[in-house]
């Protein structure tokens, strides 16, 4: 495979409130991604735990603690599969014990931390179906956009609700991003109408590849996620998409194609504001 091409995978999971079981499924998906030749795999938001907030708070780990169960498991997955694992988000301890960060962690093939991004935009909404979320009551917001070097590509990090804020992705592109990752747990209500539209829009306006991992199906306390993990190209076309099941999508990302798109329609160079 050419040095300008990287094979990537996005996972789709149906996580519950059992950390060991969730991490077991994540490990299987990472191993499958490696068998299929991927050099990078993206796990969705809440890949380790999706359940009540008090339990989530209790699971919060200090970033960099190699003995912490979630981070130790991720490092083991990356080393065993010999690929980069991007996992987002999981509860990271903050200065407020009641409000951990929601953090996306990047681990290289050696299991070492490459980068970490704390979710900036928190999901506080009351949906038409009566579902209410108040993420800010149990989560501290991050403040800094993060672009990481992965396999020779510049990767812009984000998490779920961030997808609705194009100014974040402008900042990531300004930081050199060629690939955008969106680990998510989009609700069924919002996902069925907005998921594909927003991901394609971010790809088109940023002229970047987009990898989106997803939660799917039913979770504790009646929560339901839309799924449809996918990969989109810099022209906004969906090149791979997961059906309604736990699994993976895999695609080859070509920097030469990205360069051609940016050269043929130089909208990034035409920006005024």
């Amino acid at each position: 495979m050419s040095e300008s091409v990287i094979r990537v995978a996005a996972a789709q999971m149906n996580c519950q409130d059992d950390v060991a079981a969730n991490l077991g499924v994540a490990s299987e998906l990472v191993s499958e991604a490696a068998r299929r030749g991927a050099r990078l795999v993206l796990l969705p938001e809440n890949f380790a735990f999706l359940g009540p907030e008090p339990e989530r708070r209790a699971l919060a780990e200090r970033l960099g603690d190699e003995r912490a169960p979630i981070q130790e498991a991720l490092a083991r997955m990356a080393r065993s599969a010999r690929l980069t694992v991007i996992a987002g988000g999981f509860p990271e301890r903050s200065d407020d014990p009641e409000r951990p960060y929601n953090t996306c962690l990047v681990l290289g093939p050696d299991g070492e931390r490459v980068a970490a991004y704390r979710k900036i935009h928190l999901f506080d909404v009351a949906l038409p179906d009566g579902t209410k979320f108040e993420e800010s009551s149990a989560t501290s917001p991050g403040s800094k956009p993060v672009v990481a070097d992965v396999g020779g590509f510049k990767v812009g990090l984000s998490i779920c609700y961030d997808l609705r804020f194009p100014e974040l992705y402008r900042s990531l592109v300004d930081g050199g991003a060629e690939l955008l990752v969106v680990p998510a747990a989009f609700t069924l209500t919002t996902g069925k109408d907005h998921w594909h539209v927003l991901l394609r829009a971010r790809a088109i306006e940023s002229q970047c590849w987009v990898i989106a991992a997803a939660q799917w199906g039913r979770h504790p306390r009646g929560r339901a996620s839309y799924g449809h993990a996918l990969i989109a190209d810099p022209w906004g076309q969906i090149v791979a998409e997961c059906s309604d099941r736990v699994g993976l999508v895999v695609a080859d990302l070509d920097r030469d194609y990205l360069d051609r798109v940016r050269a043929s329609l130089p909208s990034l160079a035409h920006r005024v504001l």
Side-chain angles (χ1 to χ4, degrees):
M1 189 176 295
S2 167
E3 291 185 0
S4 69
V5 177
I6 182 172
R7 180 164 294 172
V8 303
Q12 183 158 290
M13 300 179 68
N14 174 239
C15 291
Q16 306 295 316
D17 54 5
D18 184 329
V19 175
N22 294 333
L23 291 177
V25 173
S27 181
E28 292 174 2
L29 292 171
V30 170
S31 296
E32 180 183 344
R35 288 194 296 271
R36 295 173 66 176
R39 292 167 55 197
L40 179 159
V41 60
L42 178 66
L43 299 177
E45 185 182 32
N46 302 323
F47 65 89
F49 179 82
L50 210 167
E53 287 299 340
E55 295 178 39
R56 174 181 170 273
R57 284 195 296 270
L59 293 168
E61 299 180 354
R62 179 176 57 82
L63 190 63
D65 183 354
E66 297 179 354
R67 295 172 297 178
I70 296 172
Q71 292 175 82
E72 182 182 39
L74 291 172
R76 185 168 59 249
M77 292 177 208
R79 286 194 299 266
S80 177
R82 298 180 182 177
L83 48 62
T84 295
V85 175
I86 302 181
F90 80 101
E92 176 207 343
R93 289 183 189 171
S94 72
D95 292 336
D96 182 348
E98 297 299 310
R99 299 169 68 230
Y101 295 114
N102 186 347
T103 299
C104 178
L105 189 61
V106 183
L107 297 171
D110 58 359
E112 295 297 316
R113 174 160 50 99
V114 173
Y117 163 73
R118 294 163 175 163
K119 186 178 182 181
I120 293 174
H121 301 98
L122 302 182
F123 192 47
D124 291 352
V125 300
L127 299 174
D129 65 356
T131 303
K132 294 183 179 180
F133 293 91
E134 193 175 349
E135 189 176 15
S136 64
S137 68
T139 303
S140 293
S143 60
K144 297 179 180 179
V146 176
V147 177
D149 290 305
V150 176
F153 280 71
K154 295 282 190 179
V155 180
L157 307 179
S158 65
I159 301 174
C160 200
Y161 191 50
D162 283 330
L163 182 60
R164 295 182 180 275
F165 300 89
E167 58 272 20
L168 171 62
Y169 297 91
R170 283 301 194 206
S171 177
L172 295 173
V173 170
D174 287 344
E178 303 162 302
L179 163 60
L180 304 171
V181 297
V182 188
F186 249 61
T187 69
L188 179 61
T189 302
T190 58
K192 63 184 177 59
D193 294 323
H194 297 166
W195 176 249
H196 293 88
V197 176
L198 287 169
L199 288 167
R200 294 185 66 200
R202 297 297 86 86
I204 292 166
E205 70 196 8
S206 302
Q207 297 187 315
C208 286
W209 291 92
V210 172
I211 310 174
Q215 292 286 348
W216 162 77
R218 295 287 174 178
H219 313 287
R221 305 180 74 176
R223 180 166 174 168
S225 296
Y226 178 63
H228 292 267
L230 63 83
I231 299 169
D233 71 18
W235 196 252
Q237 297 299 309
I238 296 171
V239 298
E241 181 174 350
C242 201
S243 58
D244 291 337
R245 61 184 178 84
V246 172
L248 284 175
V249 287
V250 178
D252 292 336
L253 278 52
D254 188 343
R255 182 188 281 106
D256 291 341
Y257 177 62
L258 180 145
D259 291 342
R260 291 197 300 272
V261 168
R262 290 184 173 184
S264 65
L265 184 61
S267 58
L268 294 178
H270 293 161
R271 284 173 58 196
V272 176
L273 299 177

